[in-house]
Amino acid sequence: MRHYLGISDEEFIRSKQVPMTKKEVRILTLVKARIPANGVVWDIGAGTGSLSIEAANLCPQGKVWAIERRPEAISLLRLNIANLAVPNIGIIAAEAPDGLEKIPAPDCVLIGGTGGQLEDILEAVHKRLRPRGRIVLNCVTVQTMYNALSWFRAHEEQYDYEAVQVQVSQLRRVGNYDMMQSDNPICIIAASPKHHMEVA
Amino acid sequence: MRHYLGISDEEFIRSKQVPMTKKEVRILTLVKARIPANGVVWDIGAGTGSLSIEAANLCPQGKVWAIERRPEAISLLRLNIANLAVPNIGIIAAEAPDGLEKIPAPDCVLIGGTGGQLEDILEAVHKRLRPRGRIVLNCVTVQTMYNALSWFRAHEEQYDYEAVQVQVSQLRRVGNYDMMQSDNPICIIAASPKHHMEVA
Amino acid sequence: MRHYLGISDEEFIRSKQVPMTKKEVRILTLVKARIPANGVVWDIGAGTGSLSIEAANLCPQGKVWAIERRPEAISLLRLNIANLAVPNIGIIAAEAPDGLEKIPAPDCVLIGGTGGQLEDILEAVHKRLRPRGRIVLNCVTVQTMYNALSWFRAHEEQYDYEAVQVQVSQLRRVGNYDMMQSDNPICIIAASPKHHMEVA
Amino acid sequence: MRHYLGISDEEFIRSKQVPMTKKEVRILTLVKARIPANGVVWDIGAGTGSLSIEAANLCPQGKVWAIERRPEAISLLRLNIANLAVPNIGIIAAEAPDGLEKIPAPDCVLIGGTGGQLEDILEAVHKRLRPRGRIVLNCVTVQTMYNALSWFRAHEEQYDYEAVQVQVSQLRRVGNYDMMQSDNPICIIAASPKHHMEVA
């Protein structure tokens, strides 16, 4: 198993139908998730599994649950897990929030693809997240960014959160030149429960 | 003929081999070029002709010279000029600075693709540019950006210039969502000759 | 009067309280607005007046109505109009949609600051916009971008629209170096009424 | 000592004269540096020390050497190290490449501010870097980006490298709205020595 974060994108098998979180966004997402070495991680909308696999490498004594509903994505996920020989990932073939009730309570929840169920997923996560837990969302659409920010605004008594938009351009050599090729921008929201009890 | 700037990208015939300047960059480039209605414009590295065609619409009493060396780009250029029925464009099939000596002195020079001849092109343009003229470069590589800025730094007694990097993301509807799809960033440098004579 | 678009930012008097639309965003906004030379333009949330003033230069036989509610912005607006000697701007000191009912029907509507009244403003504009008119919105917040896109989605029978996010970085000389200084990203939405009548 | 990466920017004391690498860029830089727990890290142009301090947290059995020439930056660096109680940082008050000859050979070299000595620094680093080492550069100017890429192109027999440009915008709450505030873009180049011996 690799002990560092930052597997190159080329090591994952991909398909056109299942977009993959790119390396720099994976790094930021997983660092912001503050995954404990023995942690339980939920990866909701796991897609190709690039986040699940790197998360699993960060919690060798823990376990990652990859929740994914699309059969073609699940196939890719299985291929990538086998290919990179990651032992500590369980796959839940379901459309979240379905399937979340039967897995252990999470230390960290990664939310990518949400199929329009964002609020229901956030409510389900809210009920199960451990007190020192972290939620990290990757939003690629205006609507998901808005809905996620709205949910955290509505729950600001319960969560501290921060959000950034990140735009990465890869420098690619073309002969004597370096061109910049842009990935699409993504909004990363990272949240922690507030600890009112401690104050009392 | 259209009297406004901002033809949509879909109206130009394109090919994978010949990248096209996208709408927002075309608009910024052509506004910064301050093309007079009766002006002479050189479009060096004309490619698909999107800049030449919109420039020609801005100088109905003037003329645009499209300089391009690649046969497949020249074919596209001819197709697009015919298709959009633009009467005031002349094509120079040459690798600039070759071919520049035989066309009229320019009011505005647009520099896109340069095939590694950037300094020679800038020297040739410098000799011919009219006193109230404008030069606008679009740089997509680190090396072109650096070389162009170096040239203007070396000629700062003769030119005022400004430079911006522009990153555009298109919002594309995907069902109920709007995704952002990023174009590659581009550096636009716009320059005018200084007028020392006027001070004296 | 200037006959080109693209006044430099330094020519406008500004204040910390009243943010100004920067040059490149002004250019894109005003080109996308396709202002007729004799057009009527509404600039809703005019702020420092940089958009109003450049719009007025584009319609020398027309008129721009600058709608602004904040007294300190109105002062700046007056100063900038006087300073740049633009004759064809009228100021409406009101919080839109108030004040819109008494001015002539617009060819072009620019919407910047909206003070939370976005839907009401869009409804008011929708009722008055001329058949060949244009609406261009500049959105700097996630919520305004979402609300504006939602309104156009709900009115897609009546409007064609496009949206881009634009991020501009200025290259600033610092000795022998050029640093990139980023402006904040902005979403520009440009819309035209659909012409169902023509089909019949 | 903290065992996670990603200290918030507010925890560092800063000044206007000494710009600080922002959180997301720190995370990417330090993950790409692949710092071993017992590693030796050089932080060239350490500035406020934000990279040095987070690097030190990643190598609790190793040591970070912060090289910085400006007295006001060294003061800040000392303050931040004391404030965050990081035991394993040594300060070298010198202008690199001066001062590098007397410290242990590095596993990881972070290069930020370079004061125009980039090539000399890269040559000095090249001579001392351990075989499994990493070099990560943060470039904020066009010239540094160009010079660094040129050096790695000239040394492509010896190094594998990748480069990205990263643009981060912070979402800041302003009442009911979230505005995006952009940090300046930065180019991150990460390089590893090639291992020709292994092929034989």
Side-chain angles (χ1 to χ4, degrees):
Chain A
M1 190 187 301
R2 285 151 193 285
H3 296 290
Y4 62 84
L5 190 52
I7 298 179
S8 85
D9 290 344
E10 287 67 36
E11 297 196 39
F12 297 100
I13 302 158
R14 287 173 276 176
S15 81
K16 286 219 167 172
Q17 282 69 44
V18 186
M20 188 179 78
T21 308
K22 298 287 174 53
K23 186 167 79 170
E24 280 75 20
V25 174
R26 269 202 317 275
I27 290 173
L28 290 172
T29 300
L30 291 169
V31 168
K32 286 172 183 254
R34 298 179 196 159
I35 299 176
N38 64 351
V40 170
V41 179
W42 294 0
D43 182 12
I44 298 177
T48 54
S50 65
L51 275 173
S52 290
I53 287 167
E54 297 231 63
N57 287 342
L58 292 170
C59 60
Q61 290 88 48
K63 179 139 190 177
V64 175
W65 298 92
I67 297 95
E68 177 56 55
R69 70 176 196 283
R70 292 163 296 169
E72 73 274 24
I74 294 171
S75 302
L76 273 180
L77 186 53
R78 284 192 204 285
L79 264 174
N80 280 317
I81 291 169
N83 206 33
L84 292 163
V86 184
N88 53 334
I89 301 180
I91 298 176
I92 307 291
E95 179 165 5
D98 290 352
L100 299 178
E101 67 288 351
K102 56 186 173 191
I103 50 177
D107 297 288
C108 304
V109 179
L110 313 176
I111 304 179
T114 61
Q117 311 295 320
L118 184 62
E119 283 86 357
D120 290 348
I121 289 170
L122 283 168
E123 290 298 332
V125 165
H126 175 51
K127 282 184 198 137
R128 303 284 312 282
L129 188 69
R130 289 181 177 167
R132 298 277 168 196
R134 292 283 285 169
I135 304 172
V136 185
L137 290 101
N138 287 348
C139 313
V140 297
T141 72
V142 175
Q143 286 75 19
T144 307
M145 195 187 334
Y146 173 87
N147 288 331
L149 291 170
S150 298
W151 193 90
F152 283 108
R153 280 175 173 272
H155 293 76
E156 64 182 320
E157 301 280 306
Q158 285 120 16
Y159 289 91
D160 286 315
Y161 67 94
E162 56 165 33
V164 291
Q165 187 180 271
V166 179
Q167 166 95 54
V168 176
S169 300
Q170 310 285 337
L171 270 77
R172 299 254 183 252
R173 286 184 67 150
V174 182
N176 292 325
Y177 297 92
D178 292 274
M179 287 204 44
M180 296 195 200
Q181 290 194 318
S182 292
D183 298 336
N184 296 335
I186 195 162
C187 175
I188 304 174
I189 304 174
S192 296
K194 283 183 176 170
H195 295 287
H196 299 292
M197 267 45 79
E198 292 175 6
V199 181
Chain B
M1 190 188 303
R2 285 152 194 284
H3 297 290
Y4 63 82
L5 190 51
I7 298 179
S8 86
D9 290 345
E10 287 66 35
E11 297 196 37
F12 297 101
I13 302 158
R14 288 172 274 176
S15 80
K16 287 219 166 171
Q17 283 70 45
V18 185
M20 187 179 79
T21 307
K22 298 287 173 53
K23 186 168 78 169
E24 280 74 21
V25 174
R26 269 202 317 275
I27 290 173
L28 290 172
T29 300
L30 292 169
V31 168
K32 286 172 183 254
R34 299 178 196 160
I35 299 176
N38 64 351
V40 170
V41 179
W42 294 359
D43 181 12
I44 299 178
T48 54
S50 66
L51 275 173
S52 291
I53 287 166
E54 296 231 64
N57 287 341
L58 292 170
C59 62
Q61 291 89 50
K63 179 139 190 177
V64 174
W65 298 92
I67 297 95
E68 177 56 56
R69 70 176 198 283
R70 293 163 297 170
E72 73 274 24
I74 294 171
S75 302
L76 273 180
L77 186 52
R78 285 191 204 287
L79 264 174
N80 279 317
I81 291 169
N83 207 32
L84 292 163
V86 184
N88 53 335
I89 301 180
I91 297 175
I92 308 290
E95 179 165 5
D98 290 353
L100 299 178
E101 67 288 350
K102 56 185 173 191
I103 50 177
D107 297 288
C108 303
V109 180
L110 313 175
I111 304 180
T114 61
Q117 311 295 320
L118 183 62
E119 283 85 356
D120 290 348
I121 289 170
L122 282 168
E123 289 298 332
V125 165
H126 175 52
K127 282 184 197 135
R128 303 284 311 283
L129 188 69
R130 289 182 178 167
R132 299 276 167 195
R134 292 282 286 169
I135 304 173
V136 186
L137 290 101
N138 287 348
C139 313
V140 297
T141 72
V142 175
Q143 287 75 19
T144 307
M145 195 186 335
Y146 173 87
N147 288 331
L149 291 170
S150 298
W151 194 89
F152 283 108
R153 281 174 172 274
H155 292 76
E156 64 183 321
E157 301 279 305
Q158 286 120 16
Y159 289 91
D160 287 315
Y161 68 95
E162 56 165 32
V164 291
Q165 186 180 272
V166 179
Q167 166 95 55
V168 176
S169 299
Q170 310 286 337
L171 271 77
R172 299 253 183 253
R173 285 184 66 150
V174 183
N176 292 324
Y177 297 93
D178 292 274
M179 288 204 43
M180 296 195 199
Q181 290 196 318
S182 292
D183 298 337
N184 296 335
I186 195 162
C187 175
I188 304 175
I189 304 174
S192 296
K194 284 183 176 170
H195 294 287
H196 299 292
M197 268 45 80
E198 291 175 7
V199 182
Chain C
M1 191 188 301
R2 286 150 194 284
H3 296 290
Y4 62 85
L5 191 51
I7 298 179
S8 85
D9 289 345
E10 286 67 35
E11 297 196 38
F12 297 101
I13 301 159
R14 287 173 274 177
S15 80
K16 287 219 165 169
Q17 282 70 43
V18 186
M20 188 180 78
T21 308
K22 298 287 173 56
K23 185 167 78 168
E24 281 73 22
V25 174
R26 268 202 318 273
I27 290 173
L28 290 171
T29 299
L30 291 169
V31 168
K32 285 170 183 256
R34 299 179 196 157
I35 299 175
N38 65 351
V40 170
V41 179
W42 294 0
D43 182 12
I44 299 177
T48 55
S50 65
L51 275 172
S52 290
I53 287 167
E54 296 231 64
N57 287 342
L58 293 170
C59 62
Q61 291 88 48
K63 178 139 189 178
V64 175
W65 298 92
I67 298 94
E68 176 56 55
R69 71 177 195 282
R70 292 163 296 169
E72 72 274 23
I74 294 172
S75 301
L76 273 179
L77 186 51
R78 285 192 204 287
L79 264 174
N80 280 316
I81 292 170
N83 206 32
L84 293 162
V86 185
N88 54 335
I89 300 181
I91 297 176
I92 307 291
E95 179 164 6
D98 290 353
L100 300 178
E101 68 287 351
K102 56 186 172 191
I103 50 177
D107 296 287
C108 304
V109 179
L110 313 175
I111 304 180
T114 61
Q117 311 295 322
L118 184 62
E119 283 85 356
D120 290 347
I121 289 170
L122 282 167
E123 289 299 332
V125 166
H126 176 51
K127 282 185 198 137
R128 304 285 310 283
L129 188 69
R130 289 182 177 166
R132 298 279 168 195
R134 294 282 286 170
I135 304 173
V136 185
L137 290 101
N138 287 349
C139 314
V140 297
T141 72
V142 175
Q143 287 73 21
T144 308
M145 195 186 334
Y146 173 87
N147 288 330
L149 291 170
S150 297
W151 194 90
F152 283 108
R153 280 174 173 272
H155 293 75
E156 64 183 321
E157 301 280 305
Q158 285 121 15
Y159 288 91
D160 287 315
Y161 67 96
E162 56 166 32
V164 292
Q165 186 180 272
V166 179
Q167 167 95 54
V168 176
S169 300
Q170 311 285 337
L171 272 77
R172 299 250 183 255
R173 287 183 66 151
V174 182
N176 292 324
Y177 297 93
D178 292 273
M179 286 204 45
M180 297 195 198
Q181 290 195 318
S182 292
D183 298 336
N184 296 335
I186 195 161
C187 176
I188 304 174
I189 304 174
S192 295
K194 284 184 175 168
H195 295 287
H196 299 291
M197 266 47 78
E198 291 175 7
V199 182
Chain D
M1 191 186 302
R2 286 150 194 283
H3 296 290
Y4 62 84
L5 191 51
I7 298 179
S8 86
D9 289 345
E10 286 68 35
E11 297 197 37
F12 297 101
I13 302 158
R14 289 173 273 178
S15 81
K16 287 220 164 168
Q17 282 70 44
V18 186
M20 187 179 79
T21 308
K22 298 286 172 56
K23 186 167 79 169
E24 281 74 21
V25 174
R26 269 202 317 274
I27 290 173
L28 290 172
T29 300
L30 291 169
V31 168
K32 285 170 183 255
R34 298 178 197 159
I35 299 175
N38 64 352
V40 169
V41 179
W42 294 359
D43 181 13
I44 299 177
T48 55
S50 65
L51 275 172
S52 291
I53 287 167
E54 296 231 64
N57 287 343
L58 293 170
C59 61
Q61 291 88 50
K63 179 139 190 179
V64 175
W65 298 93
I67 297 95
E68 176 57 54
R69 70 176 195 283
R70 293 162 296 168
E72 73 273 23
I74 294 171
S75 300
L76 273 180
L77 185 52
R78 284 192 203 287
L79 263 174
N80 280 316
I81 291 169
N83 207 32
L84 293 163
V86 185
N88 54 335
I89 301 180
I91 298 176
I92 307 292
E95 179 165 5
D98 290 353
L100 300 178
E101 67 288 350
K102 56 185 173 192
I103 50 177
D107 297 286
C108 304
V109 179
L110 313 175
I111 304 179
T114 62
Q117 310 295 320
L118 184 62
E119 284 84 356
D120 291 347
I121 289 170
L122 283 167
E123 289 299 332
V125 166
H126 175 53
K127 282 186 197 133
R128 305 284 310 283
L129 188 69
R130 288 181 178 167
R132 299 277 167 195
R134 294 281 286 169
I135 304 173
V136 186
L137 289 100
N138 287 348
C139 313
V140 297
T141 73
V142 175
Q143 287 75 21
T144 307
M145 194 186 334
Y146 173 88
N147 288 331
L149 291 170
S150 298
W151 193 89
F152 283 108
R153 280 174 173 273
H155 293 76
E156 64 182 321
E157 302 279 304
Q158 286 121 14
Y159 289 91
D160 287 315
Y161 68 95
E162 56 165 31
V164 291
Q165 186 180 273
V166 179
Q167 167 94 54
V168 176
S169 300
Q170 311 285 338
L171 271 76
R172 298 254 184 253
R173 286 183 67 151
V174 183
N176 292 324
Y177 297 94
D178 291 274
M179 287 204 43
M180 297 197 199
Q181 290 195 318
S182 292
D183 297 337
N184 297 334
I186 195 162
C187 175
I188 304 174
I189 304 174
S192 295
K194 284 183 176 170
H195 295 286
H196 298 291
M197 266 45 79
E198 291 174 8
V199 182

